[in-house]
Amino acid sequence: RLIAEFESSRGCKDRKEVIKQMRSERDVRYLPPLQRLARAPRSGCGFLSLADCYTCVRGDIRDAISAIEGARPGSPESKAKR
């Protein structure tokens, strides 16, 4: 459900809310859509298409990916928490 919301969300406020939920749930199934958006070009919006379309959520995406990867069994981060 959250992946569908993430894919269809428009605007910073909506995206930030979905990313926040993904980060708190830490489900590895959320990684592919988050990583896809993290790899999106940093241009294509605004005047002359020079602006980053996702600048308002890049930090949130990075933090969510880190949190989810840290929660994966066998990851160095999860072993350090023991």
Side-chain angles (χ1 to χ4, degrees):
R1 176 190 63 80
L2 272 180
I3 293 172
E5 285 182 41
F6 179 74
E7 297 289 341
S8 64
S9 64
R10 299 288 174 250
C12 291
K13 184 178 176 183
D14 291 339
R15 283 192 179 112
K16 282 180 171 284
E17 187 59 38
V18 175
I19 293 167
K20 180 180 172 183
Q21 290 176 337
M22 289 175 151
R23 180 179 179 184
S24 69
E25 290 185 19
R26 296 183 182 196
D27 189 326
V28 295
R29 293 175 290 183
Y30 300 148
L31 284 174
L34 289 168
Q35 291 168 334
R36 185 171 38 256
L37 195 58
R39 289 189 308 267
R42 294 185 179 266
S43 62
C45 288
F47 182 69
L48 298 176
S49 297
L50 297 175
D52 185 354
C53 301
Y54 306 107
T55 192
C56 62
V57 293
R58 292 239 184 233
D60 298 296
I61 291 169
R62 180 193 62 239
D63 294 345
I65 290 171
S66 294
I68 293 168
E69 287 178 338
R72 293 166 91 174
S75 68
E77 293 86 357
S78 67
K79 289 179 183 175
K81 292 179 185 176
R82 290 185 186 165

